[in-house]
Amino acid sequence: MADRGNILNELTNQQLVDRYRFNRAGLNYLETVFGPALEPATMRHKMRELDAQVQQFYGLAQFPKVVGVIDGTHIRIQPPSEDEPSFVNRKGFHSINVQVVFDGFDRITNVVARWPGSAHDSRILQQSGLRNLFDEGHVPNGQYHLLGDSGYAGRRWLLTPYLNPQPGSQTAYNR
């Protein structure tokens, strides 16, 4: 395949204005402002983003290799007309159980908002595409982790607290 080159270099300033409504200087300015946000999501780019998230979590809590925290939250709803009992959560009100993952920059990186309130957090994760990403190696398994509470079963990529921590390193880990 022949190298196409940059078509912007082949156009005159007037052709740029006619086609894009910006002259060369304007397009160069836009590229400097928006270029990083428009960079293709290559694997290298994704790895840089993951590394930045890891550094952020390490700065927050000295937890290495963590790219996010996961938990479920109940969003109160009106009782539905179909399958009403499955929407009653353990606290006795109707809800949707929403799985949310946040990164170290307080950005939501994953949401699953389709489960009735009676669904357990671990079941939602088990059925989610997020589990597939980690289990199938799309996120380098063992290299990056999520933090979850004791409602989740521990996995190689999902770190959960010790249920009965021993004094010392287990207590420090839970803290």
Side-chain angles (χ1 to χ4, degrees):
M1 181 189 293
D3 183 18
R4 288 183 22 186
N6 185 346
I7 190 165
L8 298 181
N9 293 334
E10 298 171 12
L11 299 175
T12 67
N13 213 30
Q14 186 58 49
Q15 288 171 321
L16 290 172
V17 171
D18 291 344
R19 186 177 283 191
Y20 302 110
R21 300 193 182 200
F22 287 98
N23 63 19
R24 190 170 313 283
L27 289 170
N28 287 338
Y29 173 75
L30 291 172
E31 183 180 16
T32 61
V33 172
F34 297 109
L38 300 175
E39 182 178 317
T42 62
M43 183 54 77
R44 186 179 312 147
H45 176 74
K46 289 177 185 176
M47 296 306 284
R48 278 197 312 262
E49 177 67 21
L50 286 173
D51 288 340
Q53 293 171 14
V54 165
Q55 290 173 1
Q56 182 71 7
F57 269 109
Y58 190 80
L60 291 171
Q62 286 68 52
F63 234 110
K65 299 182 179 181
V66 171
V67 294
V69 294
I70 185 170
D71 202 3
T73 187
H74 289 272
I75 307 298
R76 189 181 293 265
I77 62 169
Q78 295 294 319
S81 57
E82 292 182 27
D83 199 22
E84 180 268 337
S86 70
F87 287 87
V88 177
N89 64 29
R90 69 183 184 281
K91 295 181 181 181
F93 64 89
H94 294 87
S95 68
I96 294 175
N97 192 353
V98 179
Q99 174 182 282
V100 181
V101 177
F102 282 89
D103 69 9
F105 299 102
D106 297 329
R107 298 178 300 199
I108 296 173
T109 60
N110 184 271
V111 175
V112 177
R114 61 182 179 91
W115 287 86
S118 64
H120 195 276
D121 291 353
S122 62
R123 179 165 183 239
I124 296 170
L125 177 60
Q126 180 66 26
Q127 300 294 316
S128 76
L130 185 64
R131 180 195 57 84
N132 292 338
L133 285 174
F134 279 92
D135 281 349
E136 294 174 8
H138 299 289
V139 177
N141 204 355
Q143 187 173 351
Y144 296 108
H145 303 90
L146 293 177
L147 295 179
D149 62 21
S150 59
Y152 295 98
R155 297 177 172 272
R156 182 179 172 143
W157 50 266
L158 177 60
L159 306 178
T160 59
Y162 287 96
L163 295 179
N164 299 303
Q166 300 298 308
S169 61
Q170 289 183 0
T171 301
Y173 169 89
N174 277 7
R175 188 177 53 250

Short mmCIF file of all heavy atoms in Angstrom, two decimals, residues 56-123:
data_model
loop_
_atom_site.label_atom_id
_atom_site.label_comp_id
_atom_site.label_asym_id
_atom_site.label_seq_id
_atom_site.Cartn_x
_atom_site.Cartn_y
_atom_site.Cartn_z
N GLN A 56 -1.65 7.42 39.69
CA GLN A 56 -2.61 8.21 40.48
C GLN A 56 -3.06 7.43 41.72
O GLN A 56 -3.10 7.97 42.82
CB GLN A 56 -3.81 8.61 39.62
CG GLN A 56 -4.83 9.46 40.32
CD GLN A 56 -4.34 10.87 40.59
OE1 GLN A 56 -3.28 11.29 40.15
NE2 GLN A 56 -5.12 11.63 41.33
N PHE A 57 -3.42 6.15 41.56
CA PHE A 57 -3.83 5.35 42.71
C PHE A 57 -2.68 5.16 43.69
O PHE A 57 -2.88 5.19 44.90
CB PHE A 57 -4.37 3.97 42.29
CG PHE A 57 -5.84 3.98 42.06
CD1 PHE A 57 -6.35 3.88 40.78
CD2 PHE A 57 -6.72 4.11 43.11
CE1 PHE A 57 -7.71 3.90 40.56
CE2 PHE A 57 -8.09 4.13 42.90
CZ PHE A 57 -8.58 4.02 41.62
N TYR A 58 -1.50 4.98 43.17
CA TYR A 58 -0.36 4.82 44.07
C TYR A 58 -0.15 6.10 44.87
O TYR A 58 0.11 6.05 46.08
CB TYR A 58 0.91 4.45 43.30
CG TYR A 58 2.01 4.04 44.23
CD1 TYR A 58 2.02 2.75 44.76
CD2 TYR A 58 3.01 4.92 44.61
CE1 TYR A 58 3.00 2.35 45.65
CE2 TYR A 58 3.99 4.54 45.49
CZ TYR A 58 3.98 3.25 46.01
OH TYR A 58 4.96 2.87 46.90
N GLY A 59 -0.33 7.24 44.25
CA GLY A 59 -0.21 8.51 44.95
C GLY A 59 -1.30 8.71 45.99
O GLY A 59 -1.07 9.34 47.03
N LEU A 60 -2.48 8.16 45.74
CA LEU A 60 -3.59 8.32 46.69
C LEU A 60 -3.46 7.40 47.89
O LEU A 60 -3.76 7.80 49.01
CB LEU A 60 -4.93 8.01 45.99
CG LEU A 60 -5.40 8.99 44.93
CD1 LEU A 60 -6.60 8.44 44.18
CD2 LEU A 60 -5.74 10.33 45.57
N ALA A 61 -3.05 6.14 47.67
CA ALA A 61 -3.09 5.16 48.77
C ALA A 61 -1.92 4.19 48.78
O ALA A 61 -1.97 3.20 49.49
CB ALA A 61 -4.40 4.37 48.69
N GLN A 62 -0.89 4.46 47.99
CA GLN A 62 0.27 3.57 47.90
C GLN A 62 -0.13 2.14 47.54
O GLN A 62 0.47 1.18 47.99
CB GLN A 62 1.10 3.57 49.20
CG GLN A 62 1.93 4.83 49.40
CD GLN A 62 1.07 6.06 49.67
OE1 GLN A 62 0.24 6.04 50.54
NE2 GLN A 62 1.27 7.11 48.90
N PHE A 63 -1.17 2.03 46.70
CA PHE A 63 -1.62 0.72 46.22
C PHE A 63 -1.08 0.55 44.81
O PHE A 63 -1.47 1.27 43.91
CB PHE A 63 -3.15 0.64 46.21
CG PHE A 63 -3.69 -0.52 46.97
CD1 PHE A 63 -4.37 -0.34 48.15
CD2 PHE A 63 -3.51 -1.80 46.50
CE1 PHE A 63 -4.86 -1.41 48.86
CE2 PHE A 63 -4.00 -2.88 47.19
CZ PHE A 63 -4.68 -2.69 48.38
N PRO A 64 -0.19 -0.41 44.59
CA PRO A 64 0.41 -0.56 43.26
C PRO A 64 -0.49 -1.28 42.27
O PRO A 64 -1.31 -2.10 42.65
CB PRO A 64 1.67 -1.38 43.53
CG PRO A 64 1.34 -2.18 44.75
CD PRO A 64 0.40 -1.32 45.58
N LYS A 65 -0.34 -0.94 41.00
CA LYS A 65 -0.97 -1.63 39.88
C LYS A 65 -2.50 -1.57 39.88
O LYS A 65 -3.16 -2.43 39.30
CB LYS A 65 -0.51 -3.08 39.81
CG LYS A 65 0.98 -3.24 39.60
CD LYS A 65 1.34 -4.69 39.50
CE LYS A 65 2.82 -4.88 39.27
NZ LYS A 65 3.18 -6.28 39.14
N VAL A 66 -3.09 -0.59 40.54
CA VAL A 66 -4.55 -0.46 40.58
C VAL A 66 -4.99 0.57 39.53
O VAL A 66 -4.46 1.67 39.48
CB VAL A 66 -5.04 -0.04 41.98
CG1 VAL A 66 -6.52 0.30 41.97
CG2 VAL A 66 -4.77 -1.16 42.97
N VAL A 67 -5.97 0.18 38.69
CA VAL A 67 -6.48 1.09 37.66
C VAL A 67 -7.91 1.54 37.95
O VAL A 67 -8.42 2.39 37.24
CB VAL A 67 -6.42 0.45 36.26
CG1 VAL A 67 -4.98 0.25 35.83
CG2 VAL A 67 -7.20 -0.84 36.19
N GLY A 68 -8.54 0.99 38.98
CA GLY A 68 -9.90 1.41 39.27
C GLY A 68 -10.45 0.76 40.52
O GLY A 68 -9.89 -0.20 41.04
N VAL A 69 -11.55 1.34 41.00
CA VAL A 69 -12.31 0.76 42.10
C VAL A 69 -13.71 0.45 41.59
O VAL A 69 -14.25 1.17 40.76
CB VAL A 69 -12.37 1.70 43.34
CG1 VAL A 69 -11.00 1.87 43.95
CG2 VAL A 69 -12.96 3.04 42.99
N ILE A 70 -14.27 -0.65 42.08
CA ILE A 70 -15.57 -1.12 41.60
C ILE A 70 -16.52 -1.27 42.77
O ILE A 70 -16.12 -1.69 43.86
CB ILE A 70 -15.43 -2.45 40.84
CG1 ILE A 70 -16.76 -2.89 40.23
CG2 ILE A 70 -14.83 -3.53 41.72
CD1 ILE A 70 -16.64 -4.07 39.28
N ASP A 71 -17.77 -0.91 42.54
CA ASP A 71 -18.79 -1.16 43.55
C ASP A 71 -20.16 -1.03 42.88
O ASP A 71 -20.28 -0.50 41.79
CB ASP A 71 -18.69 -0.18 44.72
CG ASP A 71 -19.35 -0.70 45.99
OD1 ASP A 71 -19.85 -1.86 45.99
OD2 ASP A 71 -19.36 0.02 46.99
N GLY A 72 -21.15 -1.53 43.58
CA GLY A 72 -22.53 -1.40 43.15
C GLY A 72 -23.22 -0.35 43.98
O GLY A 72 -22.87 -0.13 45.14
N THR A 73 -24.17 0.31 43.39
CA THR A 73 -24.98 1.28 44.12
C THR A 73 -26.43 1.13 43.70
O THR A 73 -26.72 0.80 42.54
CB THR A 73 -24.48 2.73 43.88
OG1 THR A 73 -25.20 3.61 44.74
CG2 THR A 73 -24.65 3.16 42.44
N HIS A 74 -27.32 1.31 44.64
CA HIS A 74 -28.74 1.13 44.36
C HIS A 74 -29.39 2.47 44.04
O HIS A 74 -29.30 3.41 44.81
CB HIS A 74 -29.44 0.48 45.56
CG HIS A 74 -29.07 -0.95 45.73
ND1 HIS A 74 -29.73 -1.97 45.09
CD2 HIS A 74 -28.06 -1.54 46.43
CE1 HIS A 74 -29.16 -3.12 45.40
NE2 HIS A 74 -28.15 -2.88 46.21
N ILE A 75 -30.03 2.51 42.89
CA ILE A 75 -30.77 3.69 42.45
C ILE A 75 -32.25 3.39 42.65
O ILE A 75 -32.80 2.46 42.05
CB ILE A 75 -30.50 4.01 40.96
CG1 ILE A 75 -29.01 4.10 40.68
CG2 ILE A 75 -31.26 5.25 40.53
CD1 ILE A 75 -28.27 5.18 41.42
N ARG A 76 -32.89 4.17 43.52
CA ARG A 76 -34.30 3.96 43.85
C ARG A 76 -35.17 4.18 42.61
O ARG A 76 -34.94 5.12 41.86
CB ARG A 76 -34.73 4.90 44.96
CG ARG A 76 -36.11 4.62 45.52
CD ARG A 76 -36.49 5.60 46.60
NE ARG A 76 -35.67 5.46 47.79
CZ ARG A 76 -36.00 4.74 48.86
NH1 ARG A 76 -37.14 4.08 48.87
NH2 ARG A 76 -35.21 4.69 49.91
N ILE A 77 -36.14 3.29 42.41
CA ILE A 77 -37.08 3.40 41.29
C ILE A 77 -38.50 3.19 41.81
O ILE A 77 -38.71 2.69 42.92
CB ILE A 77 -36.77 2.36 40.18
CG1 ILE A 77 -36.93 0.92 40.72
CG2 ILE A 77 -35.40 2.60 39.58
CD1 ILE A 77 -36.90 -0.16 39.66
N GLN A 78 -39.48 3.54 40.98
CA GLN A 78 -40.88 3.22 41.26
C GLN A 78 -41.05 1.71 41.03
O GLN A 78 -40.40 1.14 40.15
CB GLN A 78 -41.81 4.00 40.33
CG GLN A 78 -41.78 5.48 40.54
CD GLN A 78 -42.34 5.85 41.91
OE1 GLN A 78 -43.33 5.30 42.37
NE2 GLN A 78 -41.67 6.79 42.56
N PRO A 79 -41.90 1.05 41.79
CA PRO A 79 -42.10 -0.39 41.56
C PRO A 79 -42.54 -0.66 40.12
O PRO A 79 -43.48 -0.03 39.64
CB PRO A 79 -43.23 -0.75 42.54
CG PRO A 79 -43.19 0.32 43.58
CD PRO A 79 -42.71 1.56 42.89
N PRO A 80 -41.85 -1.56 39.44
CA PRO A 80 -42.25 -1.86 38.07
C PRO A 80 -43.49 -2.76 38.05
O PRO A 80 -43.79 -3.45 39.03
CB PRO A 80 -41.04 -2.60 37.50
CG PRO A 80 -40.39 -3.20 38.70
CD PRO A 80 -40.65 -2.27 39.85
N SER A 81 -44.18 -2.77 36.93
CA SER A 81 -45.39 -3.58 36.83
C SER A 81 -45.05 -5.05 36.54
O SER A 81 -45.84 -5.92 36.85
CB SER A 81 -46.31 -3.02 35.74
OG SER A 81 -45.63 -2.97 34.51
N GLU A 82 -43.87 -5.30 35.95
CA GLU A 82 -43.46 -6.67 35.67
C GLU A 82 -42.30 -7.06 36.58
O GLU A 82 -41.40 -6.27 36.82
CB GLU A 82 -43.02 -6.80 34.21
CG GLU A 82 -44.15 -6.63 33.22
CD GLU A 82 -43.68 -6.82 31.79
OE1 GLU A 82 -42.70 -7.55 31.58
OE2 GLU A 82 -44.32 -6.24 30.89
N ASP A 83 -42.34 -8.29 37.08
CA ASP A 83 -41.25 -8.85 37.88
C ASP A 83 -40.89 -7.96 39.07
O ASP A 83 -39.73 -7.81 39.43
CB ASP A 83 -40.03 -9.10 36.99
CG ASP A 83 -39.05 -10.07 37.63
OD1 ASP A 83 -39.46 -10.86 38.50
OD2 ASP A 83 -37.86 -10.02 37.26
N GLU A 84 -41.91 -7.38 39.69
CA GLU A 84 -41.73 -6.41 40.78
C GLU A 84 -40.87 -6.94 41.93
O GLU A 84 -39.99 -6.23 42.41
CB GLU A 84 -43.10 -5.93 41.27
CG GLU A 84 -43.06 -4.93 42.40
CD GLU A 84 -43.12 -5.59 43.77
OE1 GLU A 84 -43.62 -6.72 43.86
OE2 GLU A 84 -42.66 -4.96 44.73
N PRO A 85 -41.04 -8.19 42.39
CA PRO A 85 -40.25 -8.64 43.55
C PRO A 85 -38.74 -8.65 43.31
O PRO A 85 -37.97 -8.43 44.25
CB PRO A 85 -40.76 -10.06 43.80
CG PRO A 85 -42.12 -10.11 43.19
CD PRO A 85 -42.05 -9.19 42.01
N SER A 86 -38.30 -8.87 42.09
CA SER A 86 -36.85 -8.93 41.86
C SER A 86 -36.20 -7.56 41.97
O SER A 86 -34.97 -7.46 42.10
CB SER A 86 -36.54 -9.55 40.50
OG SER A 86 -36.92 -8.70 39.46
N PHE A 87 -36.99 -6.49 41.96
CA PHE A 87 -36.43 -5.14 42.07
C PHE A 87 -36.35 -4.66 43.52
O PHE A 87 -35.86 -3.57 43.78
CB PHE A 87 -37.22 -4.15 41.21
CG PHE A 87 -36.95 -4.33 39.74
CD1 PHE A 87 -37.68 -5.24 39.00
CD2 PHE A 87 -35.94 -3.62 39.12
CE1 PHE A 87 -37.42 -5.43 37.65
CE2 PHE A 87 -35.67 -3.81 37.77
CZ PHE A 87 -36.41 -4.72 37.04
N VAL A 88 -36.81 -5.49 44.46
CA VAL A 88 -36.70 -5.13 45.88
C VAL A 88 -35.32 -5.54 46.35
O VAL A 88 -34.93 -6.71 46.27
CB VAL A 88 -37.80 -5.81 46.72
CG1 VAL A 88 -37.63 -5.49 48.20
CG2 VAL A 88 -39.18 -5.41 46.22
N ASN A 89 -34.54 -4.59 46.86
CA ASN A 89 -33.17 -4.89 47.29
C ASN A 89 -33.14 -5.34 48.75
O ASN A 89 -34.19 -5.41 49.41
CB ASN A 89 -32.24 -3.70 47.05
CG ASN A 89 -32.62 -2.48 47.86
OD1 ASN A 89 -33.18 -2.56 48.96
ND2 ASN A 89 -32.30 -1.31 47.33
N ARG A 90 -31.98 -5.63 49.26
CA ARG A 90 -31.84 -6.17 50.62
C ARG A 90 -32.26 -5.16 51.70
O ARG A 90 -32.49 -5.52 52.84
CB ARG A 90 -30.41 -6.64 50.86
CG ARG A 90 -29.38 -5.53 50.91
CD ARG A 90 -27.96 -6.08 51.07
NE ARG A 90 -26.99 -5.02 51.20
CZ ARG A 90 -26.49 -4.30 50.22
NH1 ARG A 90 -26.90 -4.53 48.98
NH2 ARG A 90 -25.61 -3.36 50.45
N LYS A 91 -32.37 -3.89 51.32
CA LYS A 91 -32.82 -2.87 52.29
C LYS A 91 -34.32 -2.65 52.22
O LYS A 91 -34.86 -1.82 52.94
CB LYS A 91 -32.07 -1.56 52.04
CG LYS A 91 -30.57 -1.71 52.31
CD LYS A 91 -29.84 -0.42 52.09
CE LYS A 91 -28.36 -0.64 52.36
NZ LYS A 91 -27.59 0.59 52.19
N GLY A 92 -34.99 -3.38 51.32
CA GLY A 92 -36.44 -3.36 51.28
C GLY A 92 -37.07 -2.35 50.35
O GLY A 92 -38.27 -2.17 50.37
N PHE A 93 -36.29 -1.66 49.53
CA PHE A 93 -36.92 -0.73 48.59
C PHE A 93 -36.59 -1.15 47.15
O PHE A 93 -35.67 -1.92 46.90
CB PHE A 93 -36.51 0.73 48.86
CG PHE A 93 -35.06 1.07 48.69
CD1 PHE A 93 -34.56 1.48 47.46
CD2 PHE A 93 -34.19 1.02 49.77
CE1 PHE A 93 -33.23 1.81 47.31
CE2 PHE A 93 -32.86 1.35 49.63
CZ PHE A 93 -32.37 1.75 48.39
N HIS A 94 -37.40 -0.64 46.23
CA HIS A 94 -37.24 -0.97 44.82
C HIS A 94 -36.07 -0.18 44.24
O HIS A 94 -35.97 1.02 44.45
CB HIS A 94 -38.52 -0.63 44.04
CG HIS A 94 -39.68 -1.48 44.42
ND1 HIS A 94 -40.51 -1.15 45.46
CD2 HIS A 94 -40.13 -2.65 43.93
CE1 HIS A 94 -41.43 -2.08 45.58
NE2 HIS A 94 -41.23 -3.01 44.66
N SER A 95 -35.22 -0.91 43.51
CA SER A 95 -34.05 -0.24 42.95
C SER A 95 -33.51 -0.99 41.75
O SER A 95 -33.88 -2.13 41.48
CB SER A 95 -32.94 -0.11 44.00
OG SER A 95 -32.41 -1.38 44.32
N ILE A 96 -32.59 -0.31 41.07
CA ILE A 96 -31.73 -0.93 40.08
C ILE A 96 -30.34 -0.93 40.70
O ILE A 96 -29.90 0.09 41.24
CB ILE A 96 -31.73 -0.14 38.76
CG1 ILE A 96 -33.11 -0.20 38.12
CG2 ILE A 96 -30.67 -0.66 37.80
CD1 ILE A 96 -33.25 0.65 36.88
N ASN A 97 -29.66 -2.07 40.66
CA ASN A 97 -28.29 -2.15 41.17
C ASN A 97 -27.35 -1.80 40.03
O ASN A 97 -27.31 -2.48 39.01
CB ASN A 97 -27.99 -3.55 41.72
CG ASN A 97 -26.71 -3.58 42.51
OD1 ASN A 97 -25.96 -2.62 42.58
ND2 ASN A 97 -26.44 -4.72 43.13
N VAL A 98 -26.60 -0.71 40.19
CA VAL A 98 -25.74 -0.19 39.15
C VAL A 98 -24.29 -0.43 39.53
O VAL A 98 -23.84 0.01 40.59
CB VAL A 98 -25.98 1.32 38.94
CG1 VAL A 98 -25.06 1.88 37.86
CG2 VAL A 98 -27.44 1.58 38.59
N GLN A 99 -23.56 -1.14 38.67
CA GLN A 99 -22.12 -1.37 38.87
C GLN A 99 -21.37 -0.19 38.26
O GLN A 99 -21.60 0.17 37.10
CB GLN A 99 -21.69 -2.66 38.19
CG GLN A 99 -20.20 -2.91 38.22
CD GLN A 99 -19.86 -4.17 37.47
OE1 GLN A 99 -20.05 -5.26 37.99
NE2 GLN A 99 -19.38 -4.04 36.24
N VAL A 100 -20.46 0.39 39.05
CA VAL A 100 -19.69 1.55 38.59
C VAL A 100 -18.21 1.31 38.88
O VAL A 100 -17.87 0.82 39.96
CB VAL A 100 -20.15 2.85 39.28
CG1 VAL A 100 -19.38 4.05 38.77
CG2 VAL A 100 -21.64 3.06 39.10
N VAL A 101 -17.36 1.67 37.93
CA VAL A 101 -15.91 1.64 38.12
C VAL A 101 -15.40 3.06 37.96
O VAL A 101 -15.73 3.74 36.97
CB VAL A 101 -15.21 0.70 37.12
CG1 VAL A 101 -13.69 0.74 37.31
CG2 VAL A 101 -15.72 -0.72 37.27
N PHE A 102 -14.60 3.51 38.94
CA PHE A 102 -13.96 4.82 38.89
C PHE A 102 -12.46 4.62 38.78
O PHE A 102 -11.91 3.68 39.34
CB PHE A 102 -14.21 5.61 40.19
CG PHE A 102 -15.56 6.23 40.27
CD1 PHE A 102 -16.63 5.54 40.81
CD2 PHE A 102 -15.76 7.53 39.83
CE1 PHE A 102 -17.88 6.11 40.90
CE2 PHE A 102 -17.01 8.11 39.92
CZ PHE A 102 -18.07 7.41 40.46
N ASP A 103 -11.81 5.54 38.08
CA ASP A 103 -10.35 5.51 38.07
C ASP A 103 -9.81 6.47 39.13
O ASP A 103 -10.58 7.08 39.88
CB ASP A 103 -9.79 5.81 36.67
CG ASP A 103 -9.99 7.24 36.20
OD1 ASP A 103 -10.40 8.13 37.00
OD2 ASP A 103 -9.72 7.51 35.02
N GLY A 104 -8.52 6.61 39.22
CA GLY A 104 -7.89 7.44 40.22
C GLY A 104 -8.09 8.93 40.02
O GLY A 104 -7.77 9.73 40.90
N PHE A 105 -8.64 9.30 38.87
CA PHE A 105 -8.92 10.70 38.57
C PHE A 105 -10.40 11.03 38.78
O PHE A 105 -10.89 12.04 38.28
CB PHE A 105 -8.50 11.03 37.13
CG PHE A 105 -7.04 10.81 36.87
CD1 PHE A 105 -6.60 9.69 36.20
CD2 PHE A 105 -6.09 11.73 37.31
CE1 PHE A 105 -5.25 9.49 35.95
CE2 PHE A 105 -4.75 11.54 37.08
CZ PHE A 105 -4.32 10.40 36.40
N ASP A 106 -11.12 10.13 39.47
CA ASP A 106 -12.55 10.30 39.74
C ASP A 106 -13.40 10.29 38.47
O ASP A 106 -14.47 10.89 38.42
CB ASP A 106 -12.84 11.56 40.55
CG ASP A 106 -12.21 11.53 41.92
OD1 ASP A 106 -12.06 10.43 42.48
OD2 ASP A 106 -11.83 12.60 42.44
N ARG A 107 -12.93 9.60 37.44
CA ARG A 107 -13.70 9.47 36.21
C ARG A 107 -14.37 8.10 36.20
O ARG A 107 -13.76 7.10 36.57
CB ARG A 107 -12.79 9.59 34.98
CG ARG A 107 -12.10 10.93 34.86
CD ARG A 107 -11.18 10.96 33.67
NE ARG A 107 -10.15 9.93 33.80
CZ ARG A 107 -9.02 9.92 33.13
NH1 ARG A 107 -8.76 10.86 32.26
NH2 ARG A 107 -8.14 8.95 33.31
N ILE A 108 -15.61 8.07 35.75
CA ILE A 108 -16.30 6.80 35.58
C ILE A 108 -15.76 6.14 34.33
O ILE A 108 -15.77 6.74 33.26
CB ILE A 108 -17.82 7.01 35.48
CG1 ILE A 108 -18.36 7.59 36.78
CG2 ILE A 108 -18.52 5.70 35.12
CD1 ILE A 108 -19.82 8.00 36.71
N THR A 109 -15.28 4.91 34.46
CA THR A 109 -14.71 4.21 33.31
C THR A 109 -15.58 3.04 32.85
O THR A 109 -15.35 2.51 31.78
CB THR A 109 -13.30 3.70 33.62
OG1 THR A 109 -13.36 2.81 34.73
CG2 THR A 109 -12.35 4.86 33.93
N ASN A 110 -16.55 2.64 33.67
CA ASN A 110 -17.41 1.53 33.30
C ASN A 110 -18.69 1.61 34.11
O ASN A 110 -18.63 1.87 35.31
CB ASN A 110 -16.70 0.20 33.57
CG ASN A 110 -17.52 -0.99 33.12
OD1 ASN A 110 -18.32 -1.53 33.89
ND2 ASN A 110 -17.33 -1.43 31.89
N VAL A 111 -19.83 1.40 33.46
CA VAL A 111 -21.14 1.39 34.14
C VAL A 111 -21.96 0.25 33.57
O VAL A 111 -22.01 0.05 32.36
CB VAL A 111 -21.90 2.72 33.92
CG1 VAL A 111 -23.29 2.65 34.53
CG2 VAL A 111 -21.15 3.90 34.48
N VAL A 112 -22.61 -0.49 34.46
CA VAL A 112 -23.61 -1.48 34.06
C VAL A 112 -24.87 -1.14 34.85
O VAL A 112 -24.86 -1.23 36.08
CB VAL A 112 -23.15 -2.93 34.37
CG1 VAL A 112 -24.23 -3.92 34.01
CG2 VAL A 112 -21.86 -3.25 33.63
N ALA A 113 -25.91 -0.72 34.16
CA ALA A 113 -27.11 -0.22 34.84
C ALA A 113 -28.35 -0.93 34.32
O ALA A 113 -29.27 -0.31 33.80
CB ALA A 113 -27.24 1.28 34.64
N ARG A 114 -28.39 -2.26 34.46
CA ARG A 114 -29.54 -2.99 33.93
C ARG A 114 -30.00 -4.11 34.84
O ARG A 114 -30.81 -4.92 34.44
CB ARG A 114 -29.21 -3.53 32.54
CG ARG A 114 -28.06 -4.50 32.51
CD ARG A 114 -27.76 -4.95 31.08
NE ARG A 114 -26.65 -5.86 31.03
CZ ARG A 114 -26.75 -7.18 31.11
NH1 ARG A 114 -27.92 -7.75 31.22
NH2 ARG A 114 -25.68 -7.93 31.06
N TRP A 115 -29.49 -4.16 36.07
CA TRP A 115 -29.82 -5.27 36.95
C TRP A 115 -30.82 -4.84 38.02
O TRP A 115 -30.73 -3.74 38.56
CB TRP A 115 -28.55 -5.80 37.62
CG TRP A 115 -27.70 -6.55 36.64
CD1 TRP A 115 -26.77 -6.03 35.79
CD2 TRP A 115 -27.72 -7.95 36.40
NE1 TRP A 115 -26.21 -7.03 35.04
CE2 TRP A 115 -26.77 -8.21 35.39
CE3 TRP A 115 -28.44 -9.01 36.94
CZ2 TRP A 115 -26.53 -9.50 34.91
CZ3 TRP A 115 -28.19 -10.28 36.46
CH2 TRP A 115 -27.25 -10.52 35.46
N PRO A 116 -31.78 -5.72 38.33
CA PRO A 116 -32.74 -5.40 39.40
C PRO A 116 -32.04 -5.31 40.76
O PRO A 116 -30.94 -5.86 40.94
CB PRO A 116 -33.73 -6.56 39.36
CG PRO A 116 -33.00 -7.68 38.72
CD PRO A 116 -32.00 -7.06 37.78
N GLY A 117 -32.66 -4.63 41.69
CA GLY A 117 -32.08 -4.40 43.00
C GLY A 117 -31.72 -5.65 43.77
O GLY A 117 -30.84 -5.62 44.63
N SER A 118 -32.35 -6.78 43.48
CA SER A 118 -32.05 -8.01 44.20
C SER A 118 -30.75 -8.66 43.72
O SER A 118 -30.24 -9.58 44.37
CB SER A 118 -33.20 -9.01 44.07
OG SER A 118 -33.36 -9.39 42.72
N ALA A 119 -30.21 -8.22 42.59
CA ALA A 119 -28.98 -8.81 42.05
C ALA A 119 -27.79 -8.42 42.93
O ALA A 119 -27.64 -7.26 43.32
CB ALA A 119 -28.75 -8.36 40.62
N HIS A 120 -26.95 -9.39 43.22
CA HIS A 120 -25.76 -9.16 44.04
C HIS A 120 -24.66 -8.55 43.17
O HIS A 120 -24.53 -8.86 41.99
CB HIS A 120 -25.29 -10.48 44.66
CG HIS A 120 -24.31 -10.29 45.76
ND1 HIS A 120 -22.97 -10.13 45.53
CD2 HIS A 120 -24.48 -10.23 47.10
CE1 HIS A 120 -22.34 -9.98 46.68
NE2 HIS A 120 -23.24 -10.03 47.65
N ASP A 121 -23.83 -7.70 43.79
CA ASP A 121 -22.73 -7.05 43.06
C ASP A 121 -21.86 -8.07 42.33
O ASP A 121 -21.46 -7.86 41.19
CB ASP A 121 -21.84 -6.24 44.02
CG ASP A 121 -22.54 -5.02 44.60
OD1 ASP A 121 -23.65 -4.70 44.16
OD2 ASP A 121 -21.95 -4.39 45.49
N SER A 122 -21.55 -9.18 42.99
CA SER A 122 -20.66 -10.16 42.38
C SER A 122 -21.30 -10.82 41.16
O SER A 122 -20.61 -11.17 40.20
CB SER A 122 -20.22 -11.22 43.39
OG SER A 122 -21.33 -11.92 43.88
N ARG A 123 -22.61 -10.99 41.17
CA ARG A 123 -23.29 -11.57 40.00
C ARG A 123 -23.24 -10.60 38.82
O ARG A 123 -23.04 -11.01 37.67
CB ARG A 123 -24.74 -11.90 40.33
CG ARG A 123 -25.47 -12.48 39.13
CD ARG A 123 -26.77 -13.16 39.50
NE ARG A 123 -27.34 -13.75 38.32
CZ ARG A 123 -28.55 -13.44 37.86
NH1 ARG A 123 -29.31 -12.59 38.49
NH2 ARG A 123 -29.01 -14.01 36.77
#
